[in-house]
Amino acid sequence: MGIGLSEEHRALAGSVRGTAGRGRVDVLGLHLPESSGGQGFGLLELCVALEELGRARMSGPHLPTMIASAALARSPAPQLRGLADGSLTAAVVLSGAALGSPEADLFLVPVDEGWALLDRADVTAAPLEGVDLDRPLCTVRAARVPGDRLLGPLPVREAAAVLLGAESCGLAAWAVDTAASHAKIREQFGRPIGQFQGVKHRVAAALVALEQARAAVWDAARAAADWSAQETLLAVGVAAVLAPDAAVRCAADAIQVLGGIGYTFEHDAHRYYRRALSNRMLAGDPGEWCEQVARLAATGVRRAMEPDLPEEAAPVRERIRAQASALSAAEPLTRLARLARDGWMMPYLPEPWGRAATPLEQVIIHQEFRDLARPNLGIAAWAIPSIVAYGTREQQERFLPKTFTGEIMWCQLFSEPGAGSDLASLSTKATRVEGGWTITGQKIWTSLAQYAHWGICLARTGQDKHRGITYFLVDMAGPGITVRPLKEINGDEIFNEVFLDDVFVPDDLVVGEIGGGWKVARDTLSHERVALGDSWGPGSQHTDMMRLLTARDGLRTAQWERAGRLWAEGQAISALGLRVTLSRLAGGDPGTAASVRKLLGMRHAQAIAEFCWSVDPGSRYWNRMILTTRAFTIGGGTTEVQLNIIAERALGLPRDP
């Protein structure tokens, strides 16, 4: 997805893409009020347009002109109309250089504690050589400052960060698309280079960086209705930290994938890399932005990540709030029974196991039931949807009610010593006997098997790698099962080895068709990845990090900068989650967003733990967390598996042989 999510934003992006292809920029006043000659939209719409202009690597005066008009939008400056219709161009002083031509009509220049908008006759401007060959920079010195041109404080730095970030997303998008397209057709050693994991993972990781940057810029543009709000300054800082860096990284990776041709003037890749480097320089010192983000977060500033819901949500909320209120007043055991019976545990499931809730209803249920402490279903949250989709009515009625109330705990008997990421290579065998099957084999990494009542188990019933697998429900207290806990590096015993020795499973505990277990398992694994991505995301660890930092004196600037980058990354992950929600509300397909979020969330949790432990290595909590989080990039599909999924499903790169 691009920066814009709605149908209107996609139409706008398509329109700008078409005009940019003809060398035109028709959106200079998109974000300005009609009274100033603009089209009356907002900064988000301008960012949608700028992403497409960045993808086309449009040059000319449009970006500094847009930055100037965005910073001036709430001022009475009469020049706004000329900036909106293109009859006036601007140059803006940023990070010691002015973005724009020395021949610009207007110059936005810092003076004392504010800014001045000066005519060309009021300044001395000279060209400045920069790394970008196609966009002019200049040096600017105010020769005189008429009193009527003093404007006081303006959000120039903030507007520039958001708009440079939007263009940077377009640069990164071009780079990812170019690298992926080349990797599909360029052959080496008899196959496309996109089939080699080194290339595949590089391009997929670039897409992940792009999606994180898009989420950050999107959120900053949404927040920009009030530039002075602390929450806005936090969101803008996050965009400034992530988006320019993402463009540089993606452009550099594109050159790497292209190989020698990417390092020549024969290909445009170097021009995108140059533009990305220039944008990062103009956006300002990343360390300063990181420190700003950290300092704001340390004072308790938070960016709310709740969706704006349509008007029709009001009666839905009223109805659900009344039901939540009635449940909260009930006795705990009665409440639990009603939560299970009435489909509140997993409301998106079809009735009677859920409420067949629409995406809008799911969002409101999540909000209104937040204080009801619905029980964590654990592994059951992955198994239940598969039993609902593929199980018999008898299986559903036997297992689901007691699973929802916590009377039945589940474990997942999938992975084996020789079949982890390549799960379809499992060797546990199910043999046909009278009335059912006997299963023999070994499973490993089985979470909570020592406590589980039942397990979902994959076993081989045929020779075909995928069509020879069947999905069983196994009684963990039955004869022939041995569970051996494994001590993990943090001292816990969550994982287990499970040995199955002629374990009998009756025919009525086969889920789906004989030989159709791989299809059922893929459904289970899709829910596993979503669950892990949600529960192991940054959330509370953000707060934990800031609680640690604010309790300590004498932290170095570098530590504040590191904390700011971590906060920025985590906030962008939260924004990405909100974008997925909004996309689903609009009936869109979030695509591989679950894998992107899991990948980012797992790595982020590890990075938070490593940083906090380095700050306080004597902390019992962070000693534990640095060990615990090491498993996060393994469980539920390793980082490498997630990158494969993203590369193959989102970018269309060839599958592994």
Side-chain angles (χ1 to χ4, degrees):
M1 343 181 236
I3 289 175
L5 298 177
S6 67
E7 282 293 334
E8 292 79 6
H9 285 162
R10 286 192 286 272
L12 170 62
S15 174
V16 173
R17 192 178 308 129
T19 57
R22 299 190 295 273
R24 290 168 43 199
V25 178
D26 298 333
V27 291
L28 290 172
L30 192 66
H31 57 299
L32 295 174
E34 294 180 4
S35 60
S36 297
Q39 283 105 342
F41 293 98
L43 204 70
L44 179 55
E45 285 71 26
L46 187 61
C47 286
V48 170
L50 264 172
E51 182 178 22
E52 292 305 322
L53 295 176
R55 187 192 293 266
R57 198 177 45 79
M58 289 288 289
S59 297
H62 65 277
L63 183 56
T65 299
M66 290 171 173
I67 292 172
S69 62
L72 294 164
R74 294 178 181 83
S75 77
Q79 296 85 355
L80 274 173
R81 188 171 293 274
L83 295 172
D85 64 21
S87 60
L88 293 174
T89 62
V92 183
V93 175
L94 299 168
S95 300
L99 172 61
S101 168
E103 301 301 318
D105 301 302
L106 300 170
F107 293 81
L108 196 53
V109 180
V111 291
D112 299 327
E113 298 300 317
W115 291 81
L117 186 64
L118 304 178
D119 292 329
R120 190 189 308 159
D122 297 326
V123 304
T124 300
L128 177 66
E129 183 177 350
V131 70
D132 189 343
L133 301 177
D134 306 308
R135 174 177 281 165
L137 301 178
C138 61
T139 60
V140 178
R141 182 176 61 82
R144 69 188 190 94
V145 183
D148 63 344
R149 294 303 186 91
L150 289 170
L151 300 174
L154 290 174
V156 178
R157 179 173 177 258
E158 291 75 20
V162 177
L163 299 186
L164 285 164
E167 187 187 65
S168 294
C169 287
L171 300 172
W174 178 91
V176 171
D177 290 345
T178 299
S181 297
H182 182 75
K184 294 174 190 177
I185 62 173
R186 171 64 168 167
E187 291 192 358
Q188 291 286 278
F189 306 102
R191 54 189 174 127
I193 63 172
Q195 203 171 57
F196 294 99
Q197 285 200 344
V199 174
K200 180 181 290 187
H201 289 182
R202 181 183 291 272
V203 182
L207 177 62
V208 169
L210 166 59
E211 290 299 338
Q212 190 174 37
R214 279 173 167 160
V217 172
W218 169 80
D219 186 50
R222 292 168 62 240
D226 181 4
W227 287 113
S228 63
Q230 297 288 286
E231 188 176 333
T232 300
L233 295 177
L234 182 65
V236 169
V238 168
V241 168
L242 297 177
D245 265 1
V248 172
R249 177 208 174 138
C250 291
D253 284 343
I255 292 173
Q256 186 71 23
V257 172
L258 288 165
I261 191 66
Y263 190 66
T264 69
F265 269 68
E266 300 296 318
H267 200 286
D268 280 345
H270 76 101
R271 295 187 180 273
Y272 280 84
Y273 182 55
R274 290 169 180 272
R275 179 67 54 86
L277 288 170
S278 180
N279 280 5
R280 186 168 66 179
M281 178 273 293
L282 292 165
D285 182 355
E288 291 182 6
W289 282 114
C290 286
E291 187 171 2
Q292 172 179 307
V293 167
R295 299 286 185 185
L296 286 167
T299 61
V301 179
R302 298 290 183 269
R303 179 75 179 121
M305 292 294 174
E306 293 291 346
D308 296 323
L309 300 180
E311 290 184 6
E312 57 265 28
V316 178
R317 183 179 299 281
E318 185 176 349
R319 169 173 53 83
I320 291 174
R321 180 173 291 172
Q323 292 168 308
S325 178
L327 281 168
S328 65
E331 292 295 323
L333 289 179
T334 302
R335 182 190 312 137
L336 177 60
R338 289 176 58 187
L339 284 168
R341 184 193 66 207
D342 297 341
W344 295 110
M345 300 296 291
M346 302 178 79
Y348 64 88
L349 292 176
E351 296 178 343
W353 315 117
R355 302 182 64 85
T358 66
L360 176 62
E361 290 172 325
Q362 291 174 49
V363 170
I364 295 174
I365 290 169
H366 174 74
Q367 293 172 337
E368 297 298 328
F369 277 63
R370 194 169 283 155
D371 296 330
L372 275 177
R374 286 178 290 176
N376 183 353
L377 295 175
I379 308 298
W382 313 339
I384 288 171
S386 296
I387 296 174
V388 169
Y390 296 97
T392 64
R393 186 69 177 185
E394 291 73 18
Q395 290 169 350
Q396 294 165 0
E397 292 176 348
R398 176 177 177 181
F399 293 108
L400 297 187
K402 291 185 177 181
T403 298
F404 284 132
T405 58
E407 296 169 79
I408 294 178
M409 289 182 60
W410 291 83
C411 66
Q412 180 174 289
L413 300 165
F414 281 15
S415 295
E416 299 181 5
S421 296
D422 184 14
L423 181 58
S425 294
L426 62 88
S427 60
T428 293
K429 185 177 181 180
T431 302
R432 201 71 168 98
V433 296
E434 184 178 354
W437 303 79
T438 58
I439 300 178
T440 298
Q442 179 186 354
K443 300 294 182 177
I444 200 166
W445 318 127
T446 307
S447 298
L448 303 174
Q450 68 271 54
Y451 307 113
H453 304 101
W454 287 85
I456 48 177
C457 178
L458 295 182
R460 185 159 298 287
T461 52
Q463 296 302 311
D464 187 272
K465 181 172 181 179
H466 293 95
R467 292 189 294 273
I469 295 173
T470 300
Y471 195 107
F472 297 93
L473 304 180
V474 175
D475 183 353
M476 294 300 291
I481 291 181
T482 303
V483 177
R484 187 173 76 84
L486 299 169
K487 189 178 289 293
E488 298 157 37
I489 63 173
N490 63 0
D492 285 347
E493 293 183 350
I494 303 297
F495 292 151
N496 297 267
E497 287 182 297
V498 179
F499 300 90
L500 302 102
D501 185 13
D502 286 336
V503 175
F504 177 72
V505 179
D507 284 325
D508 61 4
L509 293 183
V510 172
V511 178
E513 299 177 355
I514 302 300
W518 184 245
K519 182 178 180 181
V520 185
R522 289 187 63 180
D523 179 82
T524 301
L525 291 171
S526 70
H527 290 284
E528 175 184 23
R529 290 190 175 111
V530 171
L532 291 177
D534 289 343
S535 62
W536 286 356
S540 64
Q541 292 195 8
H542 266 71
T543 307
D544 291 344
M545 177 181 71
M546 278 306 156
R547 188 179 297 118
L548 168 66
L549 297 187
T550 53
R552 296 182 71 84
D553 296 323
L555 290 174
R556 301 185 305 277
T557 299
Q559 290 174 309
W560 281 110
E561 291 178 3
R562 177 63 176 150
R565 181 168 291 278
L566 287 169
W567 188 277
E569 291 170 354
Q571 185 167 302
I573 295 169
S574 298
L576 181 60
L578 179 56
R579 280 166 60 81
V580 170
T581 298
L582 292 174
S583 179
R584 285 175 171 153
L585 285 172
D589 179 7
T592 57
S595 288
V596 170
R597 290 176 65 208
K598 178 185 184 297
L599 184 72
L600 288 170
M602 303 308 96
R603 291 191 315 204
H604 186 258
Q606 289 178 340
I608 289 269
E610 289 167 4
F611 169 68
C612 290
W613 179 79
S614 74
V615 171
D616 188 7
S619 164
R620 183 175 182 181
Y621 176 77
W622 291 113
N623 267 283
R624 177 178 176 76
M625 287 306 297
I626 195 173
L627 298 175
T628 299
T629 56
R630 187 43 42 200
F632 286 11
T633 48
I634 301 172
T638 67
T639 296
E640 291 71 25
V641 169
Q642 301 300 323
L643 287 170
N644 272 3
I645 291 171
I646 293 166
E648 293 167 5
R649 298 184 187 175
L651 296 171
L653 292 181
R655 297 180 65 85
D656 289 346

